[in-house]
Amino acid sequence: APETGEFTVHAIPIVNADNTSICTGNITILSPLFGGTWSSSNPSIATVSSTGLVSAVSPGNVTFTFTQNITGCMSSPLELVVK
């Protein structure tokens, strides 16, 4: 028999970028700015700080994800093109 009881369903974090395409050497901001941890799929293309500040390092496509501290839920990937 299936288990019954209470459980909580959390929504995935909503993420946004000021820009979806930037030039090498430039910066952009991702949001949210706090409440979790940002990660870059390829830091050799672009890095991201804990406050969502992205620094474009070299040309290519990179994705960023945000993991919410309270729920542990991860955002959908947010893609950025570095030119």
Side-chain angles (χ1 to χ4, degrees):
E3 291 187 37
T4 60
E6 292 185 29
F7 59 94
T8 303
V9 176
H10 299 284
I12 62 169
I14 303 298
V15 295
N16 294 298
D18 282 355
N19 300 291
T20 56
S21 176
I22 61 173
C23 294
T24 300
N26 288 348
I27 60 172
T28 192
I29 303 278
L30 305 179
S31 63
L33 304 177
F34 56 88
T37 305
W38 281 103
S39 62
S40 169
S41 65
N42 193 338
S44 67
I45 295 174
T47 61
V48 62
S49 73
S50 60
T51 57
L53 179 67
V54 173
S55 298
V57 178
S58 63
N61 292 357
V62 62
T63 58
F64 300 96
T65 52
F66 180 79
T67 304
Q68 211 167 34
N69 289 338
I70 294 173
T71 64
C73 294
M74 183 180 290
S75 69
S76 297
L78 179 67
E79 186 170 350
L80 179 75
V81 177
V82 177
K83 298 178 180 180

